[in-house]
Amino acid sequence: AREEERQARLADAQKAKLATQERAAKIGRAKNHFYALFGASLTPQQRGKQLEAALNALFQAYGILIQEAFHLVGESGEGIVEQIDGVIDLKGTPYFVEMKWYKDPVGTAQISQHLVRLMSRAEARGLFISASDYTEPAVHTTRDFLQHKIVALCHLQEVVFLLEQQRDLTEFLVQKVQAAQIHKNPYFKPLDARAGQT
């Protein structure tokens, strides 16, 4: 009986080791896909699409349940009425994810489109990931919106830091969401010690 118990423990340990190795390999592949974006010669539209695919691959690699990009078609023949970059499930709550690769900082107009989309969905929250920074008015608009819905803003450089430091993506996103929810700070940077809760 003791030998059987020992063998069972060894089998469980081997299974856990294989799962860890598989997860690390998935993260490695997703990381390479993500890093390839920065050196590729792409049009802005191609880069935006590639960003969606790379970030969705990262979400999957870290075990965050997702629904990849999709669009909604109008019922009266008006064609595509809404384009969704992706939806993730974070701790049992759906987050609609907007992913943008703009040259200039994200302004109030771009943020507002995402906020309007959230208002039409009862339980959904929002996550905006941008390759460029955010203007002060955009951050201010998001902060005001927190009285209606939880929204967190993320810079793509933060994701790069996370990968370089081999941190956990889920924990990183939870910290951002908690800062928005508790401290009314939608643009908290958990990996930047200087950011504090301001």
Side-chain angles (χ1 to χ4, degrees), residues 16-35:
K17 184 181 176 184
L18 287 172
T20 301
Q21 289 173 343
E22 188 178 325
R23 183 174 186 267
K26 268 187 187 177
I27 291 172
R29 287 192 295 271
K31 187 176 174 180
N32 291 338
H33 185 189
F34 177 71
Y35 281 166

Side-chain angles (χ1 to χ4, degrees), residues 71-83:
H71 59 262
L72 301 179
V73 178
E75 296 176 1
S76 306
E78 62 265 51
I80 296 173
V81 295
E82 198 173 27
Q83 174 69 39

Side-chain angles (χ1 to χ4, degrees), residues 41-186:
S41 178
L42 301 167
T43 66
Q45 189 174 13
Q46 288 172 330
R47 200 178 293 280
K49 286 292 177 190
Q50 289 288 332
L51 176 63
E52 287 176 21
L55 285 175
N56 281 330
L58 272 178
F59 288 136
Q60 286 179 328
Y62 279 91
I64 300 172
L65 295 175
I66 68 159
Q67 180 173 346
E68 294 187 19
F70 63 95
H71 59 262
L72 301 179
V73 178
E75 296 176 1
S76 306
E78 62 265 51
I80 296 173
V81 295
E82 198 173 27
Q83 174 69 39
I84 310 295
D85 289 348
V87 181
I88 63 171
D89 184 295
L90 191 62
K91 303 291 186 181
T93 302
Y95 285 78
F96 279 71
V97 184
E98 188 79 6
M99 309 172 196
K100 295 299 179 189
W101 194 302
Y102 294 133
K103 185 176 72 172
D104 299 320
V106 175
T108 305
Q110 293 93 348
I111 287 290
S112 296
Q113 288 175 1
H114 188 51
L115 304 183
V116 167
R117 185 175 294 135
L118 293 175
M119 285 302 289
S120 63
R121 292 171 167 87
E123 300 300 323
R125 295 177 172 187
L127 175 64
F128 200 112
I129 304 175
S130 171
S132 60
D133 211 345
Y134 300 86
T135 64
E136 269 306 313
V139 176
H140 184 75
T141 297
T142 308
R143 185 177 291 115
D144 286 346
F145 188 77
L146 291 174
Q147 61 188 306
H148 305 291
K149 300 265 187 179
I150 300 302
V151 183
L153 306 177
C154 180
H155 195 296
L156 208 55
Q157 192 63 46
E158 294 181 84
V159 181
V160 173
F161 289 156
L162 178 136
L163 293 171
E164 287 175 350
Q165 296 172 18
Q166 298 184 336
R167 302 278 287 274
D168 184 75
L169 182 60
T170 302
E171 182 187 331
F172 165 77
L173 293 176
V174 167
Q175 286 178 310
K176 276 191 161 289
V177 168
Q178 287 177 341
Q181 191 171 25
I182 298 168
H183 300 282
K184 294 192 71 177
N185 182 0

